[in-house]
Amino acid sequence: MVNKDLKHIIILLICFLVAVFNSIFLFNNNYLDLKKDYEKNLKLYEVIVYSLGNIRYSLAAYFWIRTEFFIHYSGFVTINNLPEIVYYAKLITILNPNFVEAYDFGAYQLAFFLNLPKEALDFIKEGIKNNPNEYKLYFTAGMIYNQKIKNYNESYKWFLKSLELIRKNKLNIDNQEFFRLYRFLADSAYELNKYTEAYIYYNKSMDYSTNKESMKNTPLYKKIIENLYK
């Protein structure tokens, strides 16, 4: 633990020195006419303070790279070290509240691997507060409500908000994401006895499936059809 903390301290010091030297360089060379952006002459300490403030973004990127390496390449991800990985995700969002992937990843691990859905929802809602136009965060919130909390009113609401943002922002997302979103909407609508909506969303999900025939044989589809024509 001491060695790991020492490594992070060294990284922080390196970032600090880089920021200071970079500030001095920009100031001395008046790079991009920085002084002209102010009515008064820009002070060196102002440039340094500004640069140091931006260290947090570099550190957030560093911790995210560490997290991704740990997950995808180390081969040592277990239920025992997941809390540490989630800790890094939370640390990243403290350093950079606009780091959407860290919110999404951390909330998913909390809910589905550490079985802490309420804590996951608190985390993902913090992410939504800081990034209100990110459809992925609403989708993850919907999944947690749907699969872990079993609150289908809430899951339906969050999935609809995710779909609304995709349409509003004209996002070009891949077919698999559309498939999952419409499938979850169909499931939530079915659980709320909204059989017409469930049928519409399920058929919409089939538009993004590579095997439409197999989808017509799923238990969910059969239950939707059965209740739709009662």
Short mmCIF file of all heavy atoms in Angstrom, two decimals, residues 151-196:
data_model
loop_
_atom_site.label_atom_id
_atom_site.label_comp_id
_atom_site.label_asym_id
_atom_site.label_seq_id
_atom_site.Cartn_x
_atom_site.Cartn_y
_atom_site.Cartn_z
N ASN A 151 -38.24 -1.61 -9.66
CA ASN A 151 -39.18 -0.50 -9.68
C ASN A 151 -39.37 -0.10 -11.14
O ASN A 151 -38.59 0.68 -11.70
CB ASN A 151 -38.63 0.68 -8.86
CG ASN A 151 -39.61 1.83 -8.74
OD1 ASN A 151 -40.45 2.04 -9.62
ND2 ASN A 151 -39.52 2.59 -7.67
N TYR A 152 -40.42 -0.64 -11.74
CA TYR A 152 -40.59 -0.50 -13.19
C TYR A 152 -41.13 0.87 -13.58
O TYR A 152 -40.90 1.31 -14.72
CB TYR A 152 -41.47 -1.63 -13.72
CG TYR A 152 -40.87 -2.97 -13.43
CD1 TYR A 152 -41.39 -3.79 -12.42
CD2 TYR A 152 -39.74 -3.41 -14.11
CE1 TYR A 152 -40.82 -5.03 -12.13
CE2 TYR A 152 -39.16 -4.64 -13.83
CZ TYR A 152 -39.70 -5.44 -12.83
OH TYR A 152 -39.11 -6.65 -12.54
N ASN A 153 -41.83 1.53 -12.68
CA ASN A 153 -42.23 2.92 -12.96
C ASN A 153 -41.00 3.79 -13.18
O ASN A 153 -40.93 4.59 -14.13
CB ASN A 153 -43.06 3.48 -11.80
CG ASN A 153 -44.53 3.16 -11.93
OD1 ASN A 153 -45.15 3.44 -12.96
ND2 ASN A 153 -45.10 2.56 -10.90
N GLU A 154 -40.01 3.62 -12.29
CA GLU A 154 -38.79 4.41 -12.40
C GLU A 154 -37.96 4.00 -13.61
O GLU A 154 -37.43 4.84 -14.34
CB GLU A 154 -37.96 4.28 -11.12
CG GLU A 154 -38.51 5.05 -9.94
CD GLU A 154 -38.51 6.56 -10.17
OE1 GLU A 154 -37.49 7.09 -10.64
OE2 GLU A 154 -39.55 7.19 -9.90
N SER A 155 -37.83 2.69 -13.82
CA SER A 155 -37.01 2.24 -14.96
C SER A 155 -37.60 2.73 -16.28
O SER A 155 -36.88 3.19 -17.17
CB SER A 155 -36.88 0.72 -14.97
OG SER A 155 -38.12 0.08 -15.24
N TYR A 156 -38.93 2.66 -16.39
CA TYR A 156 -39.61 3.13 -17.61
C TYR A 156 -39.32 4.61 -17.83
O TYR A 156 -39.02 5.04 -18.95
CB TYR A 156 -41.11 2.88 -17.47
CG TYR A 156 -41.92 3.06 -18.73
CD1 TYR A 156 -41.66 2.28 -19.87
CD2 TYR A 156 -42.95 3.99 -18.80
CE1 TYR A 156 -42.41 2.43 -21.02
CE2 TYR A 156 -43.71 4.14 -19.95
CZ TYR A 156 -43.44 3.37 -21.06
OH TYR A 156 -44.17 3.52 -22.22
N LYS A 157 -39.38 5.39 -16.77
CA LYS A 157 -39.14 6.83 -16.87
C LYS A 157 -37.71 7.13 -17.32
O LYS A 157 -37.49 7.97 -18.21
CB LYS A 157 -39.40 7.47 -15.50
CG LYS A 157 -39.15 8.98 -15.46
CD LYS A 157 -39.38 9.53 -14.06
CE LYS A 157 -38.23 9.20 -13.13
NZ LYS A 157 -38.37 9.85 -11.79
N TRP A 158 -36.73 6.44 -16.73
CA TRP A 158 -35.33 6.70 -17.07
C TRP A 158 -34.98 6.23 -18.47
O TRP A 158 -34.22 6.89 -19.19
CB TRP A 158 -34.41 6.06 -16.03
CG TRP A 158 -34.49 6.72 -14.69
CD1 TRP A 158 -35.25 6.32 -13.62
CD2 TRP A 158 -33.83 7.91 -14.27
NE1 TRP A 158 -35.09 7.17 -12.57
CE2 TRP A 158 -34.23 8.16 -12.93
CE3 TRP A 158 -32.94 8.78 -14.88
CZ2 TRP A 158 -33.75 9.25 -12.19
CZ3 TRP A 158 -32.47 9.87 -14.15
CH2 TRP A 158 -32.87 10.10 -12.84
N PHE A 159 -35.55 5.10 -18.89
CA PHE A 159 -35.30 4.63 -20.26
C PHE A 159 -35.89 5.59 -21.28
O PHE A 159 -35.27 5.88 -22.32
CB PHE A 159 -35.89 3.23 -20.47
CG PHE A 159 -35.14 2.13 -19.78
CD1 PHE A 159 -35.82 1.13 -19.09
CD2 PHE A 159 -33.75 2.07 -19.82
CE1 PHE A 159 -35.12 0.11 -18.45
CE2 PHE A 159 -33.05 1.06 -19.19
CZ PHE A 159 -33.75 0.07 -18.50
N LEU A 160 -37.09 6.10 -21.00
CA LEU A 160 -37.70 7.07 -21.91
C LEU A 160 -36.86 8.34 -22.01
O LEU A 160 -36.73 8.92 -23.09
CB LEU A 160 -39.11 7.42 -21.44
CG LEU A 160 -40.21 6.40 -21.73
CD1 LEU A 160 -41.54 6.86 -21.12
CD2 LEU A 160 -40.37 6.17 -23.23
N LYS A 161 -36.30 8.78 -20.88
CA LYS A 161 -35.45 9.97 -20.90
C LYS A 161 -34.20 9.72 -21.73
O LYS A 161 -33.75 10.61 -22.48
CB LYS A 161 -35.06 10.35 -19.47
CG LYS A 161 -34.22 11.61 -19.37
CD LYS A 161 -34.95 12.84 -19.90
CE LYS A 161 -34.10 14.09 -19.75
NZ LYS A 161 -34.78 15.29 -20.27
N SER A 162 -33.64 8.53 -21.62
CA SER A 162 -32.47 8.18 -22.42
C SER A 162 -32.80 8.24 -23.91
O SER A 162 -32.04 8.82 -24.71
CB SER A 162 -31.99 6.77 -22.04
OG SER A 162 -30.85 6.41 -22.79
N LEU A 163 -33.94 7.67 -24.29
CA LEU A 163 -34.37 7.69 -25.69
C LEU A 163 -34.63 9.11 -26.16
O LEU A 163 -34.27 9.48 -27.29
CB LEU A 163 -35.62 6.83 -25.85
CG LEU A 163 -36.18 6.69 -27.26
CD1 LEU A 163 -35.15 6.04 -28.19
CD2 LEU A 163 -37.48 5.87 -27.24
N GLU A 164 -35.23 9.92 -25.30
CA GLU A 164 -35.51 11.32 -25.64
C GLU A 164 -34.22 12.08 -25.95
O GLU A 164 -34.16 12.86 -26.91
CB GLU A 164 -36.24 11.99 -24.46
CG GLU A 164 -36.51 13.47 -24.66
CD GLU A 164 -36.99 14.13 -23.37
OE1 GLU A 164 -37.66 13.46 -22.57
OE2 GLU A 164 -36.66 15.33 -23.18
N LEU A 165 -33.18 11.86 -25.16
CA LEU A 165 -31.91 12.56 -25.38
C LEU A 165 -31.24 12.10 -26.66
O LEU A 165 -30.62 12.91 -27.36
CB LEU A 165 -30.98 12.32 -24.18
CG LEU A 165 -31.34 13.09 -22.91
CD1 LEU A 165 -30.47 12.64 -21.75
CD2 LEU A 165 -31.18 14.59 -23.13
N ILE A 166 -31.35 10.81 -26.97
CA ILE A 166 -30.77 10.31 -28.23
C ILE A 166 -31.43 11.00 -29.42
O ILE A 166 -30.75 11.45 -30.35
CB ILE A 166 -30.95 8.78 -28.33
CG1 ILE A 166 -30.08 8.07 -27.27
CG2 ILE A 166 -30.57 8.28 -29.73
CD1 ILE A 166 -30.37 6.60 -27.13
N ARG A 167 -32.74 11.10 -29.38
CA ARG A 167 -33.47 11.74 -30.48
C ARG A 167 -33.22 13.24 -30.53
O ARG A 167 -32.99 13.82 -31.60
CB ARG A 167 -34.97 11.47 -30.32
CG ARG A 167 -35.36 10.01 -30.58
CD ARG A 167 -36.80 9.76 -30.20
NE ARG A 167 -37.25 8.44 -30.61
CZ ARG A 167 -38.41 7.89 -30.21
NH1 ARG A 167 -39.21 8.57 -29.41
NH2 ARG A 167 -38.75 6.69 -30.63
N LYS A 168 -33.27 13.87 -29.36
CA LYS A 168 -33.10 15.33 -29.29
C LYS A 168 -31.72 15.75 -29.79
O LYS A 168 -31.60 16.74 -30.54
CB LYS A 168 -33.28 15.78 -27.84
CG LYS A 168 -33.03 17.26 -27.61
CD LYS A 168 -33.14 17.61 -26.13
CE LYS A 168 -32.75 19.05 -25.87
NZ LYS A 168 -32.81 19.38 -24.42
N ASN A 169 -30.70 15.01 -29.40
CA ASN A 169 -29.33 15.36 -29.78
C ASN A 169 -28.88 14.69 -31.08
O ASN A 169 -27.74 14.85 -31.49
CB ASN A 169 -28.37 14.99 -28.65
CG ASN A 169 -28.66 15.76 -27.37
OD1 ASN A 169 -28.97 16.94 -27.41
ND2 ASN A 169 -28.59 15.08 -26.23
N LYS A 170 -29.80 13.94 -31.70
CA LYS A 170 -29.54 13.26 -32.98
C LYS A 170 -28.24 12.46 -32.92
O LYS A 170 -27.36 12.58 -33.77
CB LYS A 170 -29.48 14.29 -34.12
CG LYS A 170 -30.79 15.05 -34.30
CD LYS A 170 -30.70 16.09 -35.41
CE LYS A 170 -32.01 16.84 -35.54
NZ LYS A 170 -31.96 17.89 -36.59
N LEU A 171 -28.15 11.63 -31.87
CA LEU A 171 -26.94 10.84 -31.64
C LEU A 171 -26.89 9.63 -32.55
O LEU A 171 -27.91 8.98 -32.79
CB LEU A 171 -26.87 10.40 -30.17
CG LEU A 171 -26.85 11.53 -29.14
CD1 LEU A 171 -26.86 10.96 -27.74
CD2 LEU A 171 -25.64 12.43 -29.35
N ASN A 172 -25.73 9.34 -33.04
CA ASN A 172 -25.52 8.19 -33.91
C ASN A 172 -24.96 7.03 -33.08
O ASN A 172 -23.75 6.82 -33.01
CB ASN A 172 -24.56 8.55 -35.04
CG ASN A 172 -24.41 7.42 -36.05
OD1 ASN A 172 -25.30 6.58 -36.18
ND2 ASN A 172 -23.29 7.40 -36.75
N ILE A 173 -25.84 6.29 -32.42
CA ILE A 173 -25.39 5.18 -31.59
C ILE A 173 -25.54 3.87 -32.36
O ILE A 173 -26.29 3.79 -33.33
CB ILE A 173 -26.15 5.11 -30.25
CG1 ILE A 173 -27.62 4.76 -30.47
CG2 ILE A 173 -26.03 6.45 -29.52
CD1 ILE A 173 -28.37 4.55 -29.18
N ASP A 174 -24.83 2.84 -31.92
CA ASP A 174 -24.84 1.60 -32.70
C ASP A 174 -26.12 0.80 -32.46
O ASP A 174 -26.88 1.04 -31.51
CB ASP A 174 -23.59 0.75 -32.40
CG ASP A 174 -23.51 0.29 -30.95
OD1 ASP A 174 -24.53 -0.11 -30.38
OD2 ASP A 174 -22.40 0.33 -30.39
N ASN A 175 -26.35 -0.17 -33.32
CA ASN A 175 -27.58 -0.95 -33.29
C ASN A 175 -27.76 -1.71 -31.98
O ASN A 175 -28.89 -1.86 -31.49
CB ASN A 175 -27.59 -1.95 -34.46
CG ASN A 175 -27.87 -1.26 -35.78
OD1 ASN A 175 -28.20 -0.07 -35.82
ND2 ASN A 175 -27.72 -1.98 -36.87
N GLN A 176 -26.66 -2.19 -31.41
CA GLN A 176 -26.77 -2.96 -30.18
C GLN A 176 -27.32 -2.11 -29.03
O GLN A 176 -28.11 -2.59 -28.21
CB GLN A 176 -25.40 -3.53 -29.81
CG GLN A 176 -25.40 -4.46 -28.59
CD GLN A 176 -26.26 -5.69 -28.79
OE1 GLN A 176 -26.52 -6.11 -29.91
NE2 GLN A 176 -26.73 -6.26 -27.71
N GLU A 177 -26.92 -0.85 -28.99
CA GLU A 177 -27.41 0.03 -27.93
C GLU A 177 -28.89 0.32 -28.12
O GLU A 177 -29.67 0.33 -27.15
CB GLU A 177 -26.60 1.32 -27.90
CG GLU A 177 -25.20 1.16 -27.34
CD GLU A 177 -24.53 2.51 -27.14
OE1 GLU A 177 -24.69 3.11 -26.06
OE2 GLU A 177 -23.85 2.95 -28.09
N PHE A 178 -29.31 0.56 -29.37
CA PHE A 178 -30.73 0.75 -29.63
C PHE A 178 -31.53 -0.51 -29.28
O PHE A 178 -32.61 -0.44 -28.70
CB PHE A 178 -30.96 1.09 -31.11
CG PHE A 178 -31.01 2.56 -31.39
CD1 PHE A 178 -30.21 3.12 -32.37
CD2 PHE A 178 -31.88 3.40 -30.68
CE1 PHE A 178 -30.26 4.47 -32.64
CE2 PHE A 178 -31.92 4.75 -30.94
CZ PHE A 178 -31.12 5.30 -31.93
N PHE A 179 -30.97 -1.66 -29.64
CA PHE A 179 -31.63 -2.93 -29.34
C PHE A 179 -31.88 -3.08 -27.84
O PHE A 179 -33.00 -3.39 -27.40
CB PHE A 179 -30.78 -4.09 -29.85
CG PHE A 179 -31.24 -5.44 -29.36
CD1 PHE A 179 -32.33 -6.07 -29.94
CD2 PHE A 179 -30.59 -6.07 -28.31
CE1 PHE A 179 -32.76 -7.31 -29.48
CE2 PHE A 179 -31.01 -7.30 -27.84
CZ PHE A 179 -32.10 -7.92 -28.43
N ARG A 180 -30.85 -2.84 -27.05
CA ARG A 180 -30.97 -3.00 -25.61
C ARG A 180 -31.95 -2.00 -25.01
O ARG A 180 -32.75 -2.34 -24.13
CB ARG A 180 -29.59 -2.84 -24.95
CG ARG A 180 -28.61 -3.93 -25.31
CD ARG A 180 -27.24 -3.66 -24.72
NE ARG A 180 -27.25 -3.73 -23.27
CZ ARG A 180 -26.60 -2.87 -22.48
NH1 ARG A 180 -25.92 -1.86 -23.00
NH2 ARG A 180 -26.64 -3.00 -21.17
N LEU A 181 -31.91 -0.76 -25.47
CA LEU A 181 -32.79 0.27 -24.93
C LEU A 181 -34.25 -0.06 -25.20
O LEU A 181 -35.09 -0.01 -24.29
CB LEU A 181 -32.42 1.63 -25.53
CG LEU A 181 -33.29 2.82 -25.11
CD1 LEU A 181 -33.37 2.93 -23.59
CD2 LEU A 181 -32.72 4.12 -25.70
N TYR A 182 -34.58 -0.42 -26.45
CA TYR A 182 -35.96 -0.75 -26.78
C TYR A 182 -36.42 -2.03 -26.08
O TYR A 182 -37.58 -2.15 -25.67
CB TYR A 182 -36.13 -0.87 -28.29
CG TYR A 182 -36.24 0.45 -29.00
CD1 TYR A 182 -35.28 0.85 -29.93
CD2 TYR A 182 -37.30 1.34 -28.72
CE1 TYR A 182 -35.38 2.07 -30.58
CE2 TYR A 182 -37.40 2.56 -29.37
CZ TYR A 182 -36.44 2.92 -30.30
OH TYR A 182 -36.53 4.14 -30.93
N ARG A 183 -35.52 -2.97 -25.92
CA ARG A 183 -35.86 -4.22 -25.23
C ARG A 183 -36.17 -3.95 -23.75
O ARG A 183 -37.15 -4.49 -23.20
CB ARG A 183 -34.70 -5.21 -25.36
CG ARG A 183 -34.95 -6.58 -24.73
CD ARG A 183 -36.02 -7.36 -25.49
NE ARG A 183 -36.22 -8.66 -24.89
CZ ARG A 183 -35.56 -9.76 -25.26
NH1 ARG A 183 -34.67 -9.71 -26.24
NH2 ARG A 183 -35.82 -10.91 -24.67
N PHE A 184 -35.38 -3.12 -23.10
CA PHE A 184 -35.65 -2.77 -21.71
C PHE A 184 -36.94 -1.95 -21.58
O PHE A 184 -37.68 -2.10 -20.61
CB PHE A 184 -34.47 -1.99 -21.12
CG PHE A 184 -33.39 -2.87 -20.56
CD1 PHE A 184 -32.11 -2.86 -21.10
CD2 PHE A 184 -33.65 -3.72 -19.50
CE1 PHE A 184 -31.11 -3.67 -20.59
CE2 PHE A 184 -32.65 -4.54 -18.97
CZ PHE A 184 -31.38 -4.50 -19.52
N LEU A 185 -37.18 -1.07 -22.54
CA LEU A 185 -38.44 -0.32 -22.52
C LEU A 185 -39.63 -1.27 -22.63
O LEU A 185 -40.64 -1.10 -21.92
CB LEU A 185 -38.46 0.68 -23.67
CG LEU A 185 -37.87 2.07 -23.40
CD1 LEU A 185 -37.69 2.85 -24.69
CD2 LEU A 185 -38.76 2.85 -22.43
N ALA A 186 -39.52 -2.26 -23.50
CA ALA A 186 -40.60 -3.24 -23.65
C ALA A 186 -40.82 -4.01 -22.36
O ALA A 186 -41.97 -4.24 -21.94
CB ALA A 186 -40.26 -4.21 -24.79
N ASP A 187 -39.74 -4.40 -21.72
CA ASP A 187 -39.84 -5.16 -20.47
C ASP A 187 -40.50 -4.31 -19.37
O ASP A 187 -41.39 -4.78 -18.66
CB ASP A 187 -38.45 -5.60 -20.02
CG ASP A 187 -38.49 -6.41 -18.73
OD1 ASP A 187 -38.95 -7.56 -18.78
OD2 ASP A 187 -38.09 -5.88 -17.69
N SER A 188 -40.06 -3.07 -19.23
CA SER A 188 -40.63 -2.19 -18.20
C SER A 188 -42.11 -1.91 -18.49
O SER A 188 -42.94 -1.91 -17.56
CB SER A 188 -39.86 -0.87 -18.13
OG SER A 188 -38.53 -1.08 -17.71
N ALA A 189 -42.43 -1.67 -19.75
CA ALA A 189 -43.83 -1.41 -20.11
C ALA A 189 -44.70 -2.63 -19.82
O ALA A 189 -45.83 -2.49 -19.32
CB ALA A 189 -43.92 -1.03 -21.59
N TYR A 190 -44.19 -3.80 -20.11
CA TYR A 190 -44.95 -5.03 -19.83
C TYR A 190 -45.23 -5.16 -18.33
O TYR A 190 -46.35 -5.48 -17.92
CB TYR A 190 -44.18 -6.26 -20.32
CG TYR A 190 -44.81 -7.55 -19.87
CD1 TYR A 190 -45.94 -8.06 -20.51
CD2 TYR A 190 -44.31 -8.23 -18.76
CE1 TYR A 190 -46.54 -9.23 -20.08
CE2 TYR A 190 -44.91 -9.40 -18.31
CZ TYR A 190 -46.02 -9.90 -18.97
OH TYR A 190 -46.63 -11.04 -18.52
N GLU A 191 -44.23 -4.92 -17.51
CA GLU A 191 -44.39 -5.05 -16.07
C GLU A 191 -45.39 -4.02 -15.52
O GLU A 191 -45.99 -4.23 -14.46
CB GLU A 191 -43.04 -4.87 -15.36
CG GLU A 191 -42.02 -5.96 -15.67
CD GLU A 191 -42.41 -7.31 -15.09
OE1 GLU A 191 -43.32 -7.35 -14.23
OE2 GLU A 191 -41.81 -8.32 -15.49
N LEU A 192 -45.60 -2.94 -16.25
CA LEU A 192 -46.56 -1.91 -15.84
C LEU A 192 -47.93 -2.11 -16.51
O LEU A 192 -48.79 -1.24 -16.42
CB LEU A 192 -46.02 -0.52 -16.21
CG LEU A 192 -44.76 -0.08 -15.48
CD1 LEU A 192 -44.22 1.22 -16.08
CD2 LEU A 192 -45.02 0.09 -13.99
N ASN A 193 -48.09 -3.27 -17.16
CA ASN A 193 -49.34 -3.61 -17.86
C ASN A 193 -49.63 -2.67 -19.03
O ASN A 193 -50.79 -2.51 -19.42
CB ASN A 193 -50.53 -3.62 -16.88
CG ASN A 193 -50.34 -4.61 -15.75
OD1 ASN A 193 -49.75 -5.69 -15.94
ND2 ASN A 193 -50.80 -4.28 -14.56
N LYS A 194 -48.60 -2.06 -19.56
CA LYS A 194 -48.74 -1.21 -20.76
C LYS A 194 -48.43 -2.10 -21.98
O LYS A 194 -47.37 -2.00 -22.58
CB LYS A 194 -47.77 -0.03 -20.70
CG LYS A 194 -48.00 0.92 -19.52
CD LYS A 194 -46.90 2.01 -19.50
CE LYS A 194 -47.04 2.95 -18.34
NZ LYS A 194 -48.18 3.88 -18.45
N TYR A 195 -49.37 -2.97 -22.31
CA TYR A 195 -49.08 -4.02 -23.29
C TYR A 195 -48.93 -3.47 -24.71
O TYR A 195 -48.12 -3.98 -25.49
CB TYR A 195 -50.17 -5.09 -23.24
CG TYR A 195 -50.30 -5.71 -21.87
CD1 TYR A 195 -51.52 -5.68 -21.19
CD2 TYR A 195 -49.20 -6.30 -21.25
CE1 TYR A 195 -51.63 -6.23 -19.92
CE2 TYR A 195 -49.31 -6.86 -19.98
CZ TYR A 195 -50.53 -6.81 -19.32
OH TYR A 195 -50.64 -7.35 -18.06
N THR A 196 -49.68 -2.43 -25.05
CA THR A 196 -49.54 -1.83 -26.38
C THR A 196 -48.15 -1.21 -26.55
O THR A 196 -47.47 -1.42 -27.56
CB THR A 196 -50.63 -0.76 -26.62
OG1 THR A 196 -51.91 -1.37 -26.51
CG2 THR A 196 -50.46 -0.14 -28.00
#
